[in-house]
């Protein structure tokens, strides 16, 4: 096992393995960053409208409270 050729072959195989793992990780990271860029470009105005206003939320709460107490609206 102390043969210099075997040591070089093992070191080369390890280096190639690390290179392949690094390339795969870099590709995955790049894809994740692209996904996040697309999510930022696809803003809230395109996702079904802006956030509900406080008045709309209060109206929803009022209606739900009326339903819970059994009052017809």
């Amino acid at each position: 096992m102390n043969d210099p050729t075997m040591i070089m072959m093992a070191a080369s195989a390890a280096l190639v393995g690390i290179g392949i793992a690094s390339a795969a990780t870099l590709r995955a990271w790049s894809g994740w960053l692209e996904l996040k860029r697309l999510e930022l470009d696809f803003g809230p105005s395109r996702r079904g409208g802006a956030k509900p206003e406080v008045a709309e939320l209060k109206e929803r709460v009022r209606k739900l409270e009326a339903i819970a107490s059994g009052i017809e609206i």
Side-chain angles (χ1 to χ4, degrees), residues 13-68:
L15 187 60
V16 167
I18 290 171
I20 290 171
S22 297
T25 304
L26 182 60
R27 183 164 169 84
W29 176 254
S30 177
W32 185 82
L33 285 177
E34 183 62 27
L35 174 67
K36 292 302 173 183
R37 265 190 219 102
L38 288 173
E39 285 178 358
L40 287 174
D41 289 344
F42 193 70
S45 61
R46 297 183 198 162
R47 274 191 234 160
K51 293 182 182 178
E53 296 295 325
V54 174
E56 292 174 10
L57 293 174
K58 286 182 180 180
E59 179 65 22
R60 287 183 188 177
V61 169
R62 187 187 65 76
K63 287 180 181 179
L64 288 173
E65 287 173 345
I67 291 171

